Amino acid sequence: MSSPTTPRRGYHHGDLRAELIREGIALLAETGVAGFSVAKVAARAGVSSAAPYRHFPDREALLAACAASVIAVITDLLAEAAERAGPDPVERLAATAGAYTRYVLGHRAGVEFVFAHDFAAPHAETVQEQSRRLMDTLMALAGDVLPGDTSWADTADFVYVHLATTHGYATLLLSGARPRRDVDTLVARAVAAARDHITGHVMRLGGTPGTSGSEPGG
């Protein structure tokens, strides 16, 4: 991976905007929001420090585009993982934990960019649009698992715990808190933990795990 300040050689500016977003995401993974700057992203992309301003008016705009791109990719990966998991609602939601863990371990980035930075208008909407799409995807999957009379607010709380637990597990692995094992093993553990959380929660509510739209008292 290129360093935060060393220009990449041989870049032919076919799609500079997309390249800046890619390099911005890589920089965020290395330095976090505090170390993010337009000049550093430009250097990584091998262009002048003025070039990014043809596509992004300021640092906040580029940062928002990077965060939105990360969330969009994660949302697509979670949806694809749910589809591959088959028809069982529990397995579909649990699979999103595995997909998220795999992404974070591979890219050293996740949803923290959305929650760790207070984006100013009008850039906030760029990120919020993708955040809503992520939550809509998880809310739909959770709705298929939880009892039919579960409120929107309770479903949202359940989704936040699911996402926060998965994110915490993945980021702790990155920190070296646990001995590194092969990614497939770590992903499988994320799925298993999510499955236990989902089934336990549904049973506490009186539903039947694995039954779409379970009615309470079953």
Side-chain angles (χ1 to χ4, degrees):
M1 179 176 289
S2 55
S3 72
T5 57
T6 302
R8 293 175 41 173
R9 298 184 181 277
Y11 172 57
H12 303 288
H13 309 160
D15 188 352
L16 179 55
R17 186 181 190 280
E19 180 70 6
L20 291 169
I21 291 173
R22 282 192 294 269
E23 291 296 342
I25 292 169
L27 178 61
L28 282 167
E30 292 177 8
T31 69
V33 174
F36 185 88
S37 74
V38 174
K40 288 179 181 178
V41 175
R44 294 178 67 102
V47 298
S48 72
S49 59
Y53 293 101
R54 293 198 293 269
H55 300 276
F56 303 99
D58 51 33
R59 174 185 182 272
E60 193 81 351
L62 177 54
L63 181 60
C66 292
S69 179
V70 168
I71 301 306
V73 170
I74 288 173
T75 301
D76 289 343
L77 291 174
L78 268 53
E80 291 166 7
E83 287 303 306
R84 289 195 302 271
D88 186 285
V90 171
E91 294 304 319
R92 287 168 62 82
L93 182 57
T96 65
Y100 184 84
T101 298
R102 188 181 297 278
Y103 181 87
V104 171
L105 293 178
H107 297 83
R108 306 186 68 85
V111 297
E112 69 273 15
F113 298 143
V114 175
F115 301 110
H117 184 74
D118 186 15
F119 290 95
H123 310 307
E125 181 57 31
T126 301
V127 180
Q128 289 169 0
E129 179 181 353
Q130 294 304 325
S131 298
R132 285 192 293 268
R133 182 167 162 260
L134 171 63
M135 289 304 297
D136 286 348
T137 297
L138 291 173
M139 289 286 286
L141 291 168
D144 288 339
V145 168
L146 298 175
D149 63 348
T150 304
S151 68
W152 184 94
D154 286 345
T155 302
D157 285 344
F158 174 74
V159 165
Y160 275 110
V161 171
H162 171 72
L163 183 57
T165 302
T166 304
H167 177 72
Y169 172 70
T171 53
L172 281 174
L173 290 173
L174 284 180
S175 73
R178 296 284 295 168
R180 285 299 299 269
R181 295 175 172 83
D182 67 278
V183 172
D184 287 342
T185 297
L186 298 175
V187 167
R189 289 182 176 179
V191 173
R195 184 186 299 116
D196 289 345
H197 168 239
I198 296 162
T199 56
H201 185 78
V202 172
M203 290 177 69
R204 285 192 296 275
L205 295 176
T208 304
T211 304
S212 179
S214 301
E215 294 295 333

